[in-house]
Each structure stands twice: as C-alpha cells, then as structure tokens.
Amino acid sequence: MTSRADDDPAAGHARTLLRTATRYSGSRCAALCLVSIAATGAGLLLPAALGRALDLLLAHAPATRWVLCCAGLVLLLGLLDAVQTVLTGTVDARTTAWLRRRLTGHVLGAGPRAADRFGSGDLVARLVGNAAEAGTTPAARAALVAALAGPVGGVVALGLIDWWLAAVFLAGAPVLALLLRAVSRDTSESASRYQRAQGRIAAALAEAVEGVRTVRAAGTEDRETARVLRPLPDLSRAGHRMWRVQGRAAARAVAVAPLLQLAVVAVAGVLLTRGRLSVGEVLASSRYAVLATGVGVLVGRLAGLARARAAARRLGEVEAEPTTAFGARRLPDGPGRLELRGVTARRGGHTVLDGVDLDVPGGTTLAVVGRSGSGKSLLAALAGRLADPDAGDVLLDGVPLRELPHDDLRGAVGYAFARPALLGGTIGQALALGLPSPSPGRIREAARTALADDFVRRLPDGYDTAVADAPRSGGEAQRLGLARAFAHGGRLLILDDALSSLDTVTERHITDALFGDGPGTTRLLVAHRGATAACADAVAWLDGGRVRAVGRHEELWRLAEYRAVFGEGAGPADTGDSDVPPVSDTRGGNGEGHDGMSGRIRPAAAAEDGTAP
C-alpha cells in the first residue's frame, strides 16, 4: 500500500519537519504541556471549591479554609498563565528559528533549482512568514491537549456530581464534534489559498524591487504596482473565507453551547428541588457546563493549527526539492582536464543542451560562444557542478563530478559571474569567501590581477570597508568578482560572462594576466566579444543546444554564421566561402577536430594581435 507521504511528498516532508521541530524543543513542549494541564486542573478544582464554600456560608459554618483555597487557586491560575505565556513564546521562537535555519540550508543546498521553481520572492515569503506560522505548531499542539482536557474534565466533573448532568450534556456533544471537524477542514483549505496568494505577491514584489531602475526609466510605476497587487482579490477572498469559517463556527457555538449549559442548569435545578443537589453543587454544575462547552477555545486552537499545517505544507514543498548529493571519491593530482561526455540538460520542459561532448586538456583555455539562449551559461554551470545534467557525465581529471566530495569539488573549481554577489561584512571578507585560510597578501595579489586593488584602496577603510558602504560600478563589481575567483585558485576556473561590464582596455589587461598564467589552471569562459574569444586556445561554438564546431577563433571567423554570433558579417543564410579550412563540426556527432577527435581542443597560441582576422 502506498503511504500518504508517497502520495503527497510535500505533506510527508511537512509532517517530518514538524515532528523534528517538536523534538528540537521537546523539553520545553513537555513543560508547556504540563503547565497547561496544571492550569486546566486548577480551573477544574475552582468550581468545586467555590460550591463547597457557598454551601458552608449558607449553613453558617466555618468556611475560611475553603475561601482561602479558592483564593489560592485563583493566584495559581494567574501564575500558571504567566508561565504558559512565556513558554509558548519561547517554543514558538525556537521552532521558527530552527525551521528557518533548516530551510535556508536546504535552499542553498538545492542550488538554483529552488529559486527557478519557486522564485526568490516566494521563497523569502515561505522562509519568513510561513516558517513563523508553522513554528507555532509544537506549542499549539501542547496547548491543545490542555484545551481538550478542559471539556473532558468538565464532563467528568458533571458525572461525579450527578450522572444525569453528564447524560444531558453528552446528548448534544456530537453536534459540537461535527462543528469542530468542519472548522478544522475549512480553515485549512482557506489558509492554504491565503498563503499562496501571499507568495505570489511576494514574488512579484521581489521582481519589481530588483528591476526598480528599469521601472523608473520606463515610467511604468503605476502599471508595475498593479501587477504586484494583482493577487490582492484572491488574497481578500481567501481571508474573508477564513474569517467566515471561523465566524460561522463561533455563531454555531454561541447557539449550541448556551443551550447545553441551560439544559445542564435546568436539570441541576430539578435535582436541587428534589434534594439530590445542594446550592453549591448547582453553582459548580453551571461552571462545569461552561468548561465542558469550551468550543470557543477549541475553535481558536484548531484554526491556529490548521493555518500552521498549511504553512508547514508550503515549507514541505521546498523541502521536497532535492539537494545536491556528493560522493566520497578523492580527486587525484592532475592538470585540470575537463570532459563533457554526452551531456544533455533540460530546463522548463525544453532541451537546452543535447548530447554535448567536449574535451578540454589541462592548462588550456576554452571560450564558449553562441547566440543568446544557446546554453552557454548552463554549460558553465554544469562544468563546475552548480547544476547536474539530465544525462551524460562531467569529469575533472577523469573523476565524475557527482562522485567528488563537496570540499574537493569546491576547492578545485573557481567561479566568476557577470553580476557577482559580494557576500561578507567587508570587501576583504567578500573576496576571501570560500577560502579555508585566507591571507591578506593573497587577497591583495588577486585584486591587483583583476585591476581592483587601486579603487579598493581608495575606499574609506580599504579592504576593511563594509560592503554596504562601498559604492561601485558594474565594471568594478565584476573586477571584485574576478579577484575573488583568482584568490580562490584551483585547477579549473570558470568565467561565466565575467568580463562583459569591463571597458576594452581593462578587459585586455585582465585577459593578458588571465591567459598568461601558464599551465596549471584550466579556464572555461563564456565569451560575447570576438576579442575575448581570440585570446583563447580554442572556441566551442554552441548552436541549437549542440556543439556546432570547435576550433581557433581566427579559423571559425571565416564562417559567416559564426561571425553573426558576434553581430558581424553576413547572416545565418550565408554559409561563407568554399575555401574555409576544416573545423570540428560535431552537429552530426562525427566531425573531425584538429587532432582527429570530436569536440577535442589542442593547446595553441592566440593570434598575435589578439583580434579577429
């Protein structure tokens, strides 16, 4: 038989999350449960003590001890309520913090897949708002035990006074049970809709904030505001439905509970006239009837639990996204040879890379070029295992990346991106990100190589300047990203369009330094400029998800379609001259490269002037 967790992975992960979160604060939850039950017990003793004191006072007998007992119970109830409030807040805060830590680690472990599926704004809404709501579950469950103990204890107390009182109440109990069940079901459904609408608003808002300059430049503030707030009607409907559910429950409770209380009091009055009950017992019976019909407390508890479960399910959807698994095979010594064997990768139901084969010898530089959407950045992500292919293997020095331990992989591969995120308190810490033992000298040398040292030193506190207090242009941010990659070292350096915001002179200086390192570092760079591709040992030309050709830039430049990639020369319809020298055409999978191997490159010097012919 298939389990519920198998039928609904998100629900299964949500239950696991809540169980683990409850165990995390297990001692405090147990203390909260005991305190809540003690408060319920004190509340159940109070009506009996009041009834006994009243009987003694009416009989003109000494009642001081029972009056003091009532006063003590009232004080105890106040103290227990204060302790319950503190414990509830503590458990909620601890559980919320644990959920946020766990989900944040999971999102980072899942990598770009999580952001691609949910969107950054929706993820933030889940990790902030939904985690806070789901974090109330352990305390709410502990309090629910006491909330259930009150009505059960009230019924038992009525039975101890006289079994007729309990029988009258139990006759109407099924109505209350059906009411509570309907509240739990309907609230859960409406809470889920409400939280989904919140997530859509958060996702749209994150997009608008990220593109605020574009919005201002286009003068579309009103249109963008309307787009962000478009889910508001859905949010309003879900919220009104949630309040209607609870309102109907409260109205039914107001109708049913007083009738049961009146029935109990009426029977108690009849028993009083027959001498089976005293006046104090009638008073106690009326109070126990109120406790037994405590639907209002239960409705509130159940509604809160329903909302928390709906929030936990949204967290479970994130948890269901698989994280990257690493192997235990050590990375041997090697020059950094990179191989892609039959690599296929799909995104959004479309095949972006289809059976890509590449062999990059250690110490060489391969530029990857292609039109927009040809899969260049995805290939760069696969090469350093920021993503995994749907088929095929990526190997570094003969070892599949999937089989490498996390530390070996990240220590061997350095990355620089088009828009680097500078994470850390200071500029120096941002450049040292990921280094086990960074040294100031290594950081400054890397910054000098990336031509970033001069403008960092001009900052108020140099490398100790807070990242938030360091104004920088797009090109300066890219140079800092390059400095971080150079400081990282490793045997494979991947530059994903990391030179696009640099001016021509700066780019030339950096490429001279980058390609002048000599053997020891293999470089894979996504290039958009012909001058950058010309500096590489070879170029892999992506077209239609496959490697169209591999060769030197000056040789490929004779193809009109290749020139069109850079916006130069003839368009795709022009096939070029008939005297084009042979290049490694792998579109059919049988092309011959310069060394007779499909998709393989050989080390070669760049053109003398570094430009296209």
Side-chain angles (χ1 to χ4, degrees), residues 457-517:
R457 287 181 178 276
R458 289 196 297 268
L459 295 173
D461 297 310
Y463 287 87
D464 293 325
T465 304
V467 172
D469 298 333
R472 53 197 177 271
S473 66
E476 289 170 339
Q478 271 198 349
R479 278 185 273 168
L480 291 174
L482 287 165
R484 180 171 60 197
F486 295 158
H488 179 278
R491 64 183 74 181
L492 174 62
L493 179 61
I494 300 174
L495 307 183
D496 184 3
D497 199 18
L499 307 175
S500 58
S501 295
L502 304 181
D503 61 83
T504 304
V505 175
T506 302
E507 180 183 0
R508 179 58 186 267
H509 284 302
I510 291 178
T511 52
D512 287 345
L514 180 65
F515 301 140
D517 283 344

Side-chain angles (χ1 to χ4, degrees), residues 341-613:
R341 298 178 179 173
V343 168
T344 296
R346 303 178 184 89
R347 291 295 183 271
H350 300 286
T351 299
V352 181
L353 296 175
D354 185 11
V356 171
D357 289 297
L358 279 176
D359 187 350
V360 186
T364 62
T365 301
L366 175 69
V368 180
V369 305
R371 292 181 179 274
S372 177
S374 60
K376 301 184 298 297
S377 290
L378 180 54
L379 188 146
L382 296 173
R385 210 188 171 202
L386 295 184
D388 285 326
D390 294 285
D393 283 309
V394 182
L395 299 90
L396 183 61
D397 285 322
V399 181
L401 298 186
R402 298 175 188 268
E403 300 180 12
L404 290 175
H406 175 272
D407 292 344
D408 279 19
L409 174 63
R410 292 300 158 224
V413 182
Y415 261 102
F417 303 98
R419 291 188 293 176
L422 298 177
L423 307 176
T426 66
I427 293 294
Q429 291 171 353
L431 298 186
L433 186 70
L435 294 178
S437 54
S439 67
R442 180 177 179 179
I443 298 301
R444 290 188 174 89
E445 179 60 30
R448 282 192 288 271
T449 303
L451 301 185
D453 182 66
D454 286 343
F455 77 79
V456 171
R457 287 181 178 276
R458 289 196 297 268
L459 295 173
D461 297 310
Y463 287 87
D464 293 325
T465 304
V467 172
D469 298 333
R472 53 197 177 271
S473 66
E476 289 170 339
Q478 271 198 349
R479 278 185 273 168
L480 291 174
L482 287 165
R484 180 171 60 197
F486 295 158
H488 179 278
R491 64 183 74 181
L492 174 62
L493 179 61
I494 300 174
L495 307 183
D496 184 3
D497 199 18
L499 307 175
S500 58
S501 295
L502 304 181
D503 61 83
T504 304
V505 175
T506 302
E507 180 183 0
R508 179 58 186 267
H509 284 302
I510 291 178
T511 52
D512 287 345
L514 180 65
F515 301 140
D517 283 344
T521 301
T522 305
R523 294 163 288 264
L524 177 74
L525 63 108
V526 174
H528 289 273
R529 296 177 182 173
T532 305
C535 294
D537 295 323
V539 176
W541 173 17
L542 287 182
D543 184 23
R546 308 193 69 179
V547 177
R548 172 75 174 271
V550 175
R552 292 296 301 267
H553 174 73
E554 59 267 28
E555 296 168 345
L556 295 175
W557 189 260
R558 300 180 185 182
L559 293 172
E561 289 180 287
Y562 180 80
R563 295 197 301 272
V565 171
F566 303 97
E568 301 283 348
D574 190 346
T575 59
D577 299 328
S578 59
D579 60 349
V580 174
V583 295
S584 173
D585 190 340
T586 62
R587 174 170 292 190
N590 298 316
E592 293 295 326
H594 294 309
D595 59 358
M597 294 184 64
S598 173
R600 182 181 176 91
I601 71 170
R602 64 177 185 180
E608 287 184 0
D609 62 355
T611 60

Side-chain angles (χ1 to χ4, degrees), residues 103-104 107-108 111-131 199 202-203 206 314-315 317-319:
L103 268 297
T104 299
V107 167
L108 295 177
R113 287 194 305 268
D116 292 342
R117 178 183 172 187
F118 300 104
S120 57
D122 189 31
L123 277 177
V124 170
R126 291 174 192 249
L127 269 63
V128 177
N130 294 149
R314 283 173 57 78
L315 299 182
E317 291 175 354
V318 177
E319 182 100 341

